[in-house]
Amino acid sequence: MTDKNRQPAQPISAPWPITDAWCRPGPYAARRPGSPYSMADLVAEHARYGIRRRVCLHAESREGIVEEGNAEMSRLAAEHPCTAVIWTALPPLRFGADPVGALMVRARAAGVGMFAMFPTTFLHHLRPWANGELYAAMAEARLPLALDLGEANLFDTIYEIASAHPALPLVLWGVMYTHERLLIPLMDLCPNVHLGLAPRFVSCDGIENFTGRYGARRVIYGSGWPGQAPGPLIAHVAYAEVDDQVKGLILGGSVRELLQNVAWPVHGLEVQS
Amino acid sequence: MSSLFEMGLAGRPLKDIFVFDTHAHGGPYHVRDLDGCMEAHLRRMDRAGVDVTCLMAYQESGGATLERHNDLVSAFINARPDRFKGYCWITANYPERILPELERCFGGLGFSGIKIYTYSGSYDDLRYAPMYEFAHARRLPILAHTWGDDSVRQLARMARQYPEAAFLVAHSGAGDVAINIEEALRTPNLYLELCFSGGTPWTVERLVREVGADRLIWGSDATLFGIGQQLGKVLFADIPEDAKKQILGGNARRVFHMEEVPCRPSTSTR
């Protein structure tokens, strides 16, 4: 744990049970010395805000050896019962890949709550023609797919996936505050697309306008930790001109519902925080 | 009384402290569709507890429509001088218009500061000299777009050359924050303004520790960003409450030469 991660003298409870739906513990390549990165750092940082539940992808799954990162995230989650797990999925059509069925069996056994794909980092297709079998299996299991627009600004591709697999929940991260005109047609046409706030969907009136148009269940708080602190986006929601029920859904209710809808029990949901 | 941390977590307006937003925009923006009218902005300010906002037009107003956009800001100021101040936007790309526009804006339109942006080239470009002299003579604040890069160094050089003006380094925390720290330590009239879309952990704490809370200034970048996210960076920082109050309003009061003002206008705008 870094020396900077410390709890306030009197822990403060948030008015809403907050789930941080997009955080990434584990050592990563571009870390600056002194910056937080470990699971212990994350838990301590969350404690400052009274956040007791999180949905995590391991840093190794984001930029390194996916299988090792996925296994490490599941191991860490076993030590932290309020932690749901995101695995990075690689495309099924490659040398040495598990059949999609076997991957889903492993995910079920591990209680995985979400898959993520990073087509630029891992150099693969995202379009349905290449990964259709995987998306179909995920849709059948109602297992959400997280995509990061920060690495691949692929609105057309996302539309193709979402419209070809309407039962597949998609959660978009890395949406910029200037992306509203790109998002609106996509979210209008694809009710399975969800807007994640991390790290920079901070647009003025964005919470009000998007929850007004799509409902609070389409908007999900995640921090983007360790690149971003958890607090500023919480304040972005807390100060929005929407009612408390909407804030509660964005800050945790929406993602908990998505995870509860997965075909198997998701690790990290079963313990009441 | 709740701590500022608790106020932020609950989204409560900051009614008991003076909050000055030194970086906000009025009017239309070419890549977004938002309500840029004065009433909407006042409503957003009231929700967060912002007492005073210093506005400017958006960056595309540096071209042919610059004067019209400054007029738009002037309309905000004149309608609610208790809540709005304004930056006169000038550009070195139209050097012949700098002094006439400054004279116009400060000659009766009610402006309080000057805004410059990097699209006009280096901040130490000689074309800016009349503006710096104007600001130095009147002890005006100058808000300059920067990104933790050489633009900060250019601005700091000018700040040392024109010590009576206050230089506000917009978006401190973005890019290489070490540059901002180094230049602030060398330049007493350089103030680090904190708004940017990210929220890197422990940046505010580091700036307070290495530069001092008296040199940090809060801005929201509304109506590009929501006010809350930018407030959160300060409210949740692991720094003393007094330091938060300095950053959120106390320092701006000094930079903008404001007399003591009550924390809250006597009548709500909602």
Side-chain angles (χ1 to χ4, degrees), chain A residues 4-6 12 14-16 45 48-49 177 180-181 200 202-205 226-229 231-232 234-236 238-241 247, chain B residues 5 7-12 14 30-33 43-44 47 197-202 223-226 228-229 232 235-236 238:
Chain A
K4 292 174 181 174
N5 279 9
R6 46 192 179 269
I12 291 165
W16 304 275
E45 182 74 358
R48 296 186 72 229
Y49 304 92
Y177 51 90
E180 290 179 348
R181 291 178 188 162
R200 284 162 200 254
V202 296
S203 61
C204 184
D205 296 344
Q228 307 293 315
I234 294 174
H236 184 48
Y239 279 103
E241 195 171 359
K247 293 177 186 177
Chain B
F5 191 111
M7 300 282 282
L9 208 51
R12 289 194 217 116
L14 306 174
H30 68 296
V31 299
R32 288 194 61 214
D33 309 286
R43 196 175 67 247
R44 297 178 191 115
R47 278 200 68 77
S197 60
T200 317
W202 308 108
T223 52
L224 197 56
F225 308 151
Q229 185 236 5
L235 298 179
F236 299 144
D238 190 8

Short mmCIF file of all heavy atoms in Angstrom, two decimals, chain A residues 4-6 12 14-16 45 48-49 177 180-181 200 202-205 226-229 231-232 234-236 238-241 247, chain B residues 5 7-12 14 30-33 43-44 47 197-202 223-226 228-229 232 235-236 238:
data_model
loop_
_atom_site.label_atom_id
_atom_site.label_comp_id
_atom_site.label_asym_id
_atom_site.label_seq_id
_atom_site.Cartn_x
_atom_site.Cartn_y
_atom_site.Cartn_z
N LYS A 4 0.09 7.16 0.68
CA LYS A 4 -0.95 8.16 0.48
C LYS A 4 -2.35 7.59 0.72
O LYS A 4 -3.30 8.33 0.86
CB LYS A 4 -0.87 8.69 -0.95
CG LYS A 4 0.39 9.50 -1.18
CD LYS A 4 0.49 9.87 -2.64
CE LYS A 4 1.74 10.67 -2.89
NZ LYS A 4 1.95 10.92 -4.30
N ASN A 5 -2.45 6.28 0.66
CA ASN A 5 -3.78 5.70 0.82
C ASN A 5 -4.09 5.51 2.28
O ASN A 5 -3.71 4.52 2.90
CB ASN A 5 -3.85 4.35 0.09
CG ASN A 5 -4.08 4.57 -1.38
OD1 ASN A 5 -4.04 5.70 -1.86
ND2 ASN A 5 -4.32 3.51 -2.09
N ARG A 6 -4.81 6.44 2.80
CA ARG A 6 -5.14 6.35 4.21
C ARG A 6 -6.60 6.76 4.37
O ARG A 6 -7.13 7.57 3.64
CB ARG A 6 -4.24 7.24 5.04
CG ARG A 6 -4.08 8.63 4.45
CD ARG A 6 -2.95 9.34 5.17
NE ARG A 6 -2.77 10.67 4.61
CZ ARG A 6 -1.94 10.93 3.61
NH1 ARG A 6 -1.23 9.98 3.07
NH2 ARG A 6 -1.83 12.16 3.15
N ILE A 12 -16.44 7.80 6.58
CA ILE A 12 -17.66 8.50 6.22
C ILE A 12 -18.51 7.59 5.34
O ILE A 12 -17.99 6.96 4.42
CB ILE A 12 -17.31 9.80 5.48
CG1 ILE A 12 -16.66 10.78 6.47
CG2 ILE A 12 -18.53 10.42 4.83
CD1 ILE A 12 -15.96 11.93 5.81
N ALA A 14 -21.28 6.99 2.53
CA ALA A 14 -21.95 7.66 1.43
C ALA A 14 -23.46 7.53 1.61
O ALA A 14 -23.94 6.57 2.19
CB ALA A 14 -21.52 7.03 0.12
N PRO A 15 -24.21 8.51 1.12
CA PRO A 15 -25.66 8.42 1.23
C PRO A 15 -26.25 7.27 0.41
O PRO A 15 -27.38 6.88 0.61
CB PRO A 15 -26.15 9.77 0.69
CG PRO A 15 -24.95 10.66 0.69
CD PRO A 15 -23.76 9.77 0.54
N TRP A 16 -25.48 6.77 -0.54
CA TRP A 16 -25.94 5.68 -1.39
C TRP A 16 -24.95 4.53 -1.29
O TRP A 16 -23.75 4.77 -1.16
CB TRP A 16 -26.01 6.14 -2.86
CG TRP A 16 -26.85 7.34 -3.04
CD1 TRP A 16 -28.21 7.37 -3.21
CD2 TRP A 16 -26.42 8.70 -3.06
NE1 TRP A 16 -28.63 8.67 -3.33
CE2 TRP A 16 -27.57 9.50 -3.24
CE3 TRP A 16 -25.19 9.33 -2.94
CZ2 TRP A 16 -27.52 10.89 -3.31
CZ3 TRP A 16 -25.13 10.71 -3.01
CH2 TRP A 16 -26.28 11.48 -3.19
N GLU A 45 -8.57 3.18 -0.72
CA GLU A 45 -9.13 4.36 -1.39
C GLU A 45 -10.66 4.32 -1.37
O GLU A 45 -11.31 5.32 -1.09
CB GLU A 45 -8.61 4.41 -2.83
CG GLU A 45 -9.06 5.60 -3.63
CD GLU A 45 -8.37 6.90 -3.25
OE1 GLU A 45 -7.56 6.90 -2.32
OE2 GLU A 45 -8.69 7.93 -3.87
N ARG A 48 -12.32 5.44 1.89
CA ARG A 48 -12.46 6.88 2.15
C ARG A 48 -13.87 7.36 1.82
O ARG A 48 -14.37 8.32 2.38
CB ARG A 48 -11.46 7.69 1.31
CG ARG A 48 -10.01 7.45 1.64
CD ARG A 48 -9.12 8.40 0.85
NE ARG A 48 -9.21 9.75 1.35
CZ ARG A 48 -9.41 10.83 0.59
NH1 ARG A 48 -9.56 10.70 -0.70
NH2 ARG A 48 -9.47 12.03 1.12
N TYR A 49 -14.49 6.72 0.82
CA TYR A 49 -15.81 7.15 0.36
C TYR A 49 -16.91 6.20 0.85
O TYR A 49 -18.07 6.34 0.44
CB TYR A 49 -15.84 7.19 -1.17
CG TYR A 49 -14.76 8.08 -1.74
CD1 TYR A 49 -13.52 7.57 -2.08
CD2 TYR A 49 -14.99 9.44 -1.92
CE1 TYR A 49 -12.52 8.38 -2.59
CE2 TYR A 49 -14.01 10.26 -2.42
CZ TYR A 49 -12.78 9.73 -2.75
OH TYR A 49 -11.79 10.54 -3.25
N TYR A 177 -16.73 13.48 -22.83
CA TYR A 177 -17.80 14.46 -22.63
C TYR A 177 -18.23 15.11 -23.93
O TYR A 177 -19.27 15.75 -23.99
CB TYR A 177 -17.35 15.52 -21.62
CG TYR A 177 -16.01 16.14 -21.93
CD1 TYR A 177 -15.92 17.27 -22.72
CD2 TYR A 177 -14.84 15.57 -21.47
CE1 TYR A 177 -14.69 17.83 -23.03
CE2 TYR A 177 -13.61 16.11 -21.77
CZ TYR A 177 -13.54 17.24 -22.54
OH TYR A 177 -12.32 17.78 -22.85
N GLU A 180 -21.45 13.15 -27.07
CA GLU A 180 -22.91 13.03 -26.94
C GLU A 180 -23.60 12.78 -28.27
O GLU A 180 -24.49 11.95 -28.38
CB GLU A 180 -23.47 14.28 -26.27
CG GLU A 180 -23.07 14.36 -24.81
CD GLU A 180 -23.60 15.62 -24.14
OE1 GLU A 180 -24.07 16.51 -24.85
OE2 GLU A 180 -23.51 15.70 -22.92
N ARG A 181 -23.18 13.50 -29.31
CA ARG A 181 -23.86 13.33 -30.61
C ARG A 181 -23.56 11.96 -31.21
O ARG A 181 -24.30 11.49 -32.07
CB ARG A 181 -23.44 14.44 -31.56
CG ARG A 181 -23.96 15.81 -31.16
CD ARG A 181 -23.48 16.90 -32.10
NE ARG A 181 -23.83 18.21 -31.60
CZ ARG A 181 -23.27 19.34 -32.00
NH1 ARG A 181 -22.32 19.33 -32.93
NH2 ARG A 181 -23.65 20.50 -31.49
N ARG A 200 -14.02 9.91 -18.14
CA ARG A 200 -14.19 11.32 -18.50
C ARG A 200 -15.55 11.66 -19.07
O ARG A 200 -15.67 12.62 -19.85
CB ARG A 200 -13.11 11.71 -19.52
CG ARG A 200 -11.76 11.89 -18.87
CD ARG A 200 -10.65 11.85 -19.90
NE ARG A 200 -9.38 11.56 -19.25
CZ ARG A 200 -8.42 12.46 -19.05
NH1 ARG A 200 -8.57 13.69 -19.45
NH2 ARG A 200 -7.31 12.12 -18.44
N VAL A 202 -17.92 13.55 -18.18
CA VAL A 202 -18.14 14.54 -17.12
C VAL A 202 -18.92 15.73 -17.67
O VAL A 202 -18.87 16.83 -17.12
CB VAL A 202 -16.80 15.03 -16.53
CG1 VAL A 202 -16.08 13.88 -15.86
CG2 VAL A 202 -15.89 15.65 -17.59
N SER A 203 -19.64 15.51 -18.74
CA SER A 203 -20.24 16.66 -19.42
C SER A 203 -21.29 17.34 -18.56
O SER A 203 -22.02 16.70 -17.80
CB SER A 203 -20.85 16.22 -20.75
OG SER A 203 -21.85 15.27 -20.52
N CYS A 204 -21.31 18.64 -18.69
CA CYS A 204 -22.31 19.45 -18.00
C CYS A 204 -23.70 18.99 -18.41
O CYS A 204 -23.99 18.85 -19.61
CB CYS A 204 -22.08 20.91 -18.40
SG CYS A 204 -23.13 22.07 -17.58
N ASP A 205 -24.55 18.73 -17.45
CA ASP A 205 -25.92 18.26 -17.68
C ASP A 205 -25.97 16.84 -18.27
O ASP A 205 -27.04 16.37 -18.65
CB ASP A 205 -26.72 19.20 -18.59
CG ASP A 205 -26.93 20.57 -17.98
OD1 ASP A 205 -26.73 20.72 -16.76
OD2 ASP A 205 -27.29 21.51 -18.73
N PRO A 226 -6.75 2.88 -11.34
CA PRO A 226 -5.99 3.88 -10.60
C PRO A 226 -5.67 5.16 -11.39
O PRO A 226 -5.06 6.06 -10.84
CB PRO A 226 -4.69 3.14 -10.27
CG PRO A 226 -4.49 2.25 -11.46
CD PRO A 226 -5.87 1.83 -11.89
N GLY A 227 -6.07 5.22 -12.65
CA GLY A 227 -5.81 6.44 -13.41
C GLY A 227 -6.57 7.63 -12.85
O GLY A 227 -6.11 8.77 -12.93
N GLN A 228 -7.73 7.34 -12.29
CA GLN A 228 -8.60 8.40 -11.76
C GLN A 228 -8.95 8.07 -10.31
O GLN A 228 -9.14 6.91 -9.96
CB GLN A 228 -9.89 8.48 -12.57
CG GLN A 228 -9.67 8.62 -14.07
CD GLN A 228 -9.05 9.94 -14.45
OE1 GLN A 228 -9.47 10.98 -13.96
NE2 GLN A 228 -8.05 9.92 -15.33
N ALA A 229 -9.11 9.10 -9.52
CA ALA A 229 -9.59 8.93 -8.15
C ALA A 229 -11.09 8.61 -8.19
O ALA A 229 -11.79 9.07 -9.09
CB ALA A 229 -9.33 10.19 -7.34
N GLY A 231 -13.42 9.77 -6.29
CA GLY A 231 -14.31 10.81 -5.80
C GLY A 231 -14.93 11.76 -6.82
O GLY A 231 -16.13 12.02 -6.76
N PRO A 232 -14.14 12.31 -7.73
CA PRO A 232 -14.72 13.33 -8.61
C PRO A 232 -15.96 12.88 -9.38
O PRO A 232 -16.93 13.64 -9.50
CB PRO A 232 -13.55 13.67 -9.54
CG PRO A 232 -12.34 13.47 -8.70
CD PRO A 232 -12.67 12.27 -7.86
N ILE A 234 -18.05 10.58 -8.40
CA ILE A 234 -19.14 10.47 -7.42
C ILE A 234 -19.79 11.85 -7.25
O ILE A 234 -21.01 11.98 -7.26
CB ILE A 234 -18.63 9.94 -6.07
CG1 ILE A 234 -18.14 8.50 -6.21
CG2 ILE A 234 -19.73 10.02 -5.01
CD1 ILE A 234 -17.48 7.95 -4.95
N ALA A 235 -18.95 12.86 -7.12
CA ALA A 235 -19.48 14.21 -6.97
C ALA A 235 -20.23 14.65 -8.22
O ALA A 235 -21.22 15.38 -8.14
CB ALA A 235 -18.36 15.20 -6.65
N HIS A 236 -19.76 14.21 -9.36
CA HIS A 236 -20.46 14.52 -10.62
C HIS A 236 -21.90 14.03 -10.56
O HIS A 236 -22.83 14.72 -10.98
CB HIS A 236 -19.71 13.85 -11.77
CG HIS A 236 -20.24 14.15 -13.14
ND1 HIS A 236 -20.55 15.41 -13.58
CD2 HIS A 236 -20.52 13.31 -14.18
CE1 HIS A 236 -20.99 15.35 -14.82
NE2 HIS A 236 -20.99 14.10 -15.20
N ALA A 238 -23.48 13.12 -7.60
CA ALA A 238 -24.14 13.64 -6.40
C ALA A 238 -24.69 15.05 -6.62
O ALA A 238 -25.73 15.41 -6.06
CB ALA A 238 -23.16 13.64 -5.22
N TYR A 239 -24.00 15.85 -7.42
CA TYR A 239 -24.45 17.22 -7.67
C TYR A 239 -25.37 17.34 -8.88
O TYR A 239 -25.78 18.45 -9.24
CB TYR A 239 -23.25 18.15 -7.83
CG TYR A 239 -22.67 18.58 -6.50
CD1 TYR A 239 -21.51 18.01 -6.01
CD2 TYR A 239 -23.32 19.53 -5.71
CE1 TYR A 239 -20.98 18.38 -4.78
CE2 TYR A 239 -22.81 19.91 -4.49
CZ TYR A 239 -21.64 19.34 -4.02
OH TYR A 239 -21.14 19.72 -2.80
N ALA A 240 -25.70 16.24 -9.51
CA ALA A 240 -26.59 16.32 -10.67
C ALA A 240 -28.01 16.67 -10.23
O ALA A 240 -28.42 16.36 -9.11
CB ALA A 240 -26.59 15.00 -11.43
N GLU A 241 -28.75 17.27 -11.13
CA GLU A 241 -30.12 17.69 -10.82
C GLU A 241 -31.08 16.54 -11.15
O GLU A 241 -31.90 16.62 -12.06
CB GLU A 241 -30.48 18.95 -11.63
CG GLU A 241 -31.71 19.65 -11.13
CD GLU A 241 -31.92 21.00 -11.80
OE1 GLU A 241 -31.08 21.39 -12.64
OE2 GLU A 241 -32.93 21.65 -11.49
N LYS A 247 -29.70 8.79 -8.57
CA LYS A 247 -28.30 8.79 -8.14
C LYS A 247 -27.91 7.41 -7.60
O LYS A 247 -26.81 6.91 -7.88
CB LYS A 247 -28.07 9.86 -7.06
CG LYS A 247 -28.23 11.27 -7.59
CD LYS A 247 -28.08 12.31 -6.46
CE LYS A 247 -28.40 13.71 -6.98
NZ LYS A 247 -28.32 14.73 -5.92
N PHE B 5 -15.93 17.27 2.88
CA PHE B 5 -15.94 15.92 2.30
C PHE B 5 -17.36 15.36 2.30
O PHE B 5 -17.87 14.87 1.28
CB PHE B 5 -15.00 15.03 3.11
CG PHE B 5 -14.70 13.69 2.48
CD1 PHE B 5 -13.43 13.40 2.01
CD2 PHE B 5 -15.68 12.71 2.39
CE1 PHE B 5 -13.15 12.16 1.44
CE2 PHE B 5 -15.41 11.48 1.82
CZ PHE B 5 -14.14 11.20 1.34
N MET B 7 -20.17 17.00 2.58
CA MET B 7 -21.04 17.80 1.71
C MET B 7 -20.92 17.31 0.26
O MET B 7 -21.92 17.18 -0.46
CB MET B 7 -20.65 19.28 1.78
CG MET B 7 -20.73 19.90 3.15
SD MET B 7 -22.40 20.32 3.64
CE MET B 7 -22.65 21.84 2.72
N GLY B 8 -19.69 17.05 -0.17
CA GLY B 8 -19.48 16.60 -1.53
C GLY B 8 -20.07 15.23 -1.79
O GLY B 8 -20.66 14.97 -2.83
N LEU B 9 -19.92 14.34 -0.82
CA LEU B 9 -20.43 12.98 -0.98
C LEU B 9 -21.95 12.97 -1.08
O LEU B 9 -22.54 12.16 -1.78
CB LEU B 9 -19.96 12.14 0.20
CG LEU B 9 -19.78 10.64 0.01
CD1 LEU B 9 -18.93 10.32 -1.21
CD2 LEU B 9 -19.18 10.02 1.25
N ALA B 10 -22.57 13.89 -0.39
CA ALA B 10 -24.04 13.96 -0.41
C ALA B 10 -24.55 14.89 -1.51
O ALA B 10 -25.76 14.98 -1.73
CB ALA B 10 -24.55 14.44 0.95
N GLY B 11 -23.65 15.60 -2.19
CA GLY B 11 -24.08 16.52 -3.24
C GLY B 11 -24.81 17.74 -2.70
O GLY B 11 -25.69 18.28 -3.35
N ARG B 12 -24.43 18.17 -1.51
CA ARG B 12 -25.09 19.33 -0.91
C ARG B 12 -24.43 20.62 -1.36
O ARG B 12 -23.20 20.69 -1.45
CB ARG B 12 -25.05 19.24 0.61
CG ARG B 12 -25.95 18.16 1.17
CD ARG B 12 -26.14 18.34 2.67
NE ARG B 12 -26.18 17.04 3.30
CZ ARG B 12 -25.29 16.58 4.17
NH1 ARG B 12 -24.29 17.35 4.55
NH2 ARG B 12 -25.40 15.38 4.67
N LEU B 14 -22.66 24.14 -1.26
CA LEU B 14 -21.68 24.65 -0.29
C LEU B 14 -22.12 26.03 0.17
O LEU B 14 -21.61 27.05 -0.27
CB LEU B 14 -20.30 24.69 -0.94
CG LEU B 14 -19.84 23.37 -1.56
CD1 LEU B 14 -18.53 23.55 -2.30
CD2 LEU B 14 -19.73 22.28 -0.49
N HIS B 30 -19.54 24.40 -30.25
CA HIS B 30 -19.80 23.83 -31.57
C HIS B 30 -19.92 22.30 -31.60
O HIS B 30 -20.44 21.77 -32.57
CB HIS B 30 -18.73 24.29 -32.56
CG HIS B 30 -17.36 23.74 -32.29
ND1 HIS B 30 -16.64 24.03 -31.15
CD2 HIS B 30 -16.57 22.91 -33.02
CE1 HIS B 30 -15.47 23.41 -31.21
NE2 HIS B 30 -15.40 22.73 -32.31
N VAL B 31 -19.46 21.59 -30.59
CA VAL B 31 -19.57 20.12 -30.64
C VAL B 31 -20.58 19.56 -29.63
O VAL B 31 -20.69 18.35 -29.49
CB VAL B 31 -18.21 19.43 -30.43
CG1 VAL B 31 -17.23 19.83 -31.51
CG2 VAL B 31 -17.66 19.71 -29.04
N ARG B 32 -21.29 20.44 -28.93
CA ARG B 32 -22.28 19.94 -27.98
C ARG B 32 -23.55 20.77 -28.08
O ARG B 32 -23.53 21.92 -28.50
CB ARG B 32 -21.76 20.03 -26.54
CG ARG B 32 -20.68 19.02 -26.21
CD ARG B 32 -20.48 18.95 -24.71
NE ARG B 32 -21.69 18.51 -24.06
CZ ARG B 32 -22.09 18.95 -22.85
NH1 ARG B 32 -21.36 19.82 -22.20
NH2 ARG B 32 -23.20 18.50 -22.32
N ASP B 33 -24.66 20.15 -27.65
CA ASP B 33 -25.94 20.84 -27.63
C ASP B 33 -26.35 20.99 -26.17
O ASP B 33 -26.74 20.02 -25.54
CB ASP B 33 -26.98 20.01 -28.39
CG ASP B 33 -26.46 19.63 -29.77
OD1 ASP B 33 -26.41 20.50 -30.64
OD2 ASP B 33 -26.07 18.45 -29.94
N ARG B 43 -28.81 28.18 -12.20
CA ARG B 43 -29.37 27.01 -11.53
C ARG B 43 -28.26 26.01 -11.18
O ARG B 43 -28.23 25.45 -10.09
CB ARG B 43 -30.43 26.37 -12.43
CG ARG B 43 -31.35 25.40 -11.70
CD ARG B 43 -32.45 24.88 -12.60
NE ARG B 43 -31.94 24.04 -13.67
CZ ARG B 43 -31.97 24.35 -14.96
NH1 ARG B 43 -32.50 25.49 -15.36
NH2 ARG B 43 -31.48 23.54 -15.88
N ARG B 44 -27.34 25.80 -12.11
CA ARG B 44 -26.22 24.89 -11.84
C ARG B 44 -25.35 25.42 -10.71
O ARG B 44 -24.90 24.67 -9.83
CB ARG B 44 -25.37 24.72 -13.11
CG ARG B 44 -26.09 24.08 -14.27
CD ARG B 44 -25.18 24.01 -15.49
NE ARG B 44 -25.92 23.65 -16.68
CZ ARG B 44 -26.09 24.47 -17.74
NH1 ARG B 44 -25.52 25.66 -17.75
NH2 ARG B 44 -26.81 24.08 -18.78
N ARG B 47 -27.09 24.87 -7.37
CA ARG B 47 -27.09 23.46 -6.94
C ARG B 47 -25.78 23.09 -6.24
O ARG B 47 -25.76 22.28 -5.33
CB ARG B 47 -27.29 22.52 -8.14
CG ARG B 47 -28.71 22.35 -8.57
CD ARG B 47 -28.86 21.08 -9.41
NE ARG B 47 -28.65 19.88 -8.61
CZ ARG B 47 -29.54 19.37 -7.78
NH1 ARG B 47 -30.69 19.96 -7.62
NH2 ARG B 47 -29.27 18.27 -7.11
N SER B 197 -10.63 17.37 -17.39
CA SER B 197 -11.64 16.30 -17.40
C SER B 197 -11.23 15.11 -16.53
O SER B 197 -12.09 14.36 -16.09
CB SER B 197 -11.89 15.83 -18.82
OG SER B 197 -10.69 15.34 -19.40
N GLY B 198 -9.96 14.91 -16.31
CA GLY B 198 -9.53 13.80 -15.48
C GLY B 198 -9.55 14.14 -14.01
O GLY B 198 -9.80 15.29 -13.61
N GLY B 199 -9.27 13.13 -13.20
CA GLY B 199 -9.21 13.34 -11.76
C GLY B 199 -8.12 12.48 -11.17
O GLY B 199 -8.37 11.58 -10.37
N THR B 200 -6.88 12.74 -11.58
CA THR B 200 -5.76 11.90 -11.18
C THR B 200 -5.63 11.86 -9.66
O THR B 200 -5.68 12.91 -9.02
CB THR B 200 -4.46 12.46 -11.79
OG1 THR B 200 -4.72 12.84 -13.13
CG2 THR B 200 -3.35 11.44 -11.74
N PRO B 201 -5.48 10.67 -9.09
CA PRO B 201 -5.41 10.58 -7.63
C PRO B 201 -4.27 11.41 -7.07
O PRO B 201 -3.16 11.43 -7.60
CB PRO B 201 -5.16 9.09 -7.38
CG PRO B 201 -5.64 8.40 -8.60
CD PRO B 201 -5.40 9.35 -9.73
N TRP B 202 -4.56 12.11 -5.99
CA TRP B 202 -3.58 12.78 -5.14
C TRP B 202 -2.90 13.97 -5.80
O TRP B 202 -1.89 14.47 -5.29
CB TRP B 202 -2.52 11.78 -4.63
CG TRP B 202 -3.16 10.59 -4.01
CD1 TRP B 202 -3.22 9.32 -4.52
CD2 TRP B 202 -3.90 10.55 -2.78
NE1 TRP B 202 -3.94 8.50 -3.69
CE2 TRP B 202 -4.36 9.23 -2.61
CE3 TRP B 202 -4.21 11.51 -1.81
CZ2 TRP B 202 -5.12 8.84 -1.52
CZ3 TRP B 202 -4.98 11.11 -0.73
CH2 TRP B 202 -5.41 9.78 -0.59
N THR B 223 -19.58 25.37 -19.15
CA THR B 223 -20.54 24.32 -19.34
C THR B 223 -20.02 23.18 -20.21
O THR B 223 -20.80 22.44 -20.82
CB THR B 223 -21.80 24.90 -20.02
OG1 THR B 223 -21.37 25.63 -21.21
CG2 THR B 223 -22.54 25.85 -19.13
N LEU B 224 -18.70 23.07 -20.26
CA LEU B 224 -18.12 21.89 -20.88
C LEU B 224 -18.27 20.72 -19.89
O LEU B 224 -18.80 19.67 -20.24
CB LEU B 224 -16.65 22.15 -21.19
CG LEU B 224 -15.95 21.23 -22.17
CD1 LEU B 224 -16.66 21.18 -23.50
CD2 LEU B 224 -14.51 21.66 -22.36
N PHE B 225 -17.79 20.91 -18.68
CA PHE B 225 -17.88 19.88 -17.65
C PHE B 225 -18.98 20.24 -16.64
O PHE B 225 -19.31 21.41 -16.48
CB PHE B 225 -16.58 19.75 -16.85
CG PHE B 225 -15.34 19.59 -17.68
CD1 PHE B 225 -14.13 20.04 -17.21
CD2 PHE B 225 -15.38 18.98 -18.92
CE1 PHE B 225 -12.97 19.90 -17.96
CE2 PHE B 225 -14.23 18.83 -19.69
CZ PHE B 225 -13.02 19.29 -19.20
N GLY B 226 -19.43 19.21 -15.94
CA GLY B 226 -20.30 19.47 -14.81
C GLY B 226 -19.51 20.09 -13.66
O GLY B 226 -18.32 19.80 -13.50
N GLY B 228 -19.91 19.52 -10.49
CA GLY B 228 -19.69 18.59 -9.39
C GLY B 228 -18.37 17.85 -9.47
O GLY B 228 -17.67 17.70 -8.47
N GLN B 229 -18.02 17.36 -10.66
CA GLN B 229 -16.79 16.57 -10.78
C GLN B 229 -15.58 17.41 -10.37
O GLN B 229 -14.67 16.94 -9.70
CB GLN B 229 -16.63 16.07 -12.21
CG GLN B 229 -15.44 15.14 -12.39
CD GLN B 229 -14.47 15.61 -13.46
OE1 GLN B 229 -14.62 16.68 -14.03
NE2 GLN B 229 -13.47 14.80 -13.72
N GLY B 232 -15.47 17.97 -6.68
CA GLY B 232 -15.06 16.77 -5.96
C GLY B 232 -13.56 16.66 -5.76
O GLY B 232 -13.09 16.15 -4.74
N LEU B 235 -13.05 18.93 -2.70
CA LEU B 235 -13.80 18.52 -1.50
C LEU B 235 -13.29 17.21 -0.93
O LEU B 235 -13.28 17.01 0.29
CB LEU B 235 -15.29 18.39 -1.84
CG LEU B 235 -16.00 19.66 -2.30
CD1 LEU B 235 -17.46 19.36 -2.62
CD2 LEU B 235 -15.90 20.76 -1.24
N PHE B 236 -12.85 16.29 -1.80
CA PHE B 236 -12.40 14.98 -1.34
C PHE B 236 -10.90 14.90 -1.11
O PHE B 236 -10.38 13.84 -0.75
CB PHE B 236 -12.82 13.91 -2.35
CG PHE B 236 -14.31 13.80 -2.56
CD1 PHE B 236 -14.83 13.52 -3.80
CD2 PHE B 236 -15.19 13.99 -1.51
CE1 PHE B 236 -16.20 13.41 -4.01
CE2 PHE B 236 -16.57 13.89 -1.69
CZ PHE B 236 -17.07 13.60 -2.95
N ASP B 238 -7.32 15.11 0.55
CA ASP B 238 -6.86 14.90 1.93
C ASP B 238 -6.00 16.09 2.34
O ASP B 238 -4.78 15.99 2.49
CB ASP B 238 -6.07 13.59 2.00
CG ASP B 238 -5.79 13.17 3.42
OD1 ASP B 238 -6.32 13.81 4.35
OD2 ASP B 238 -5.03 12.21 3.62
#
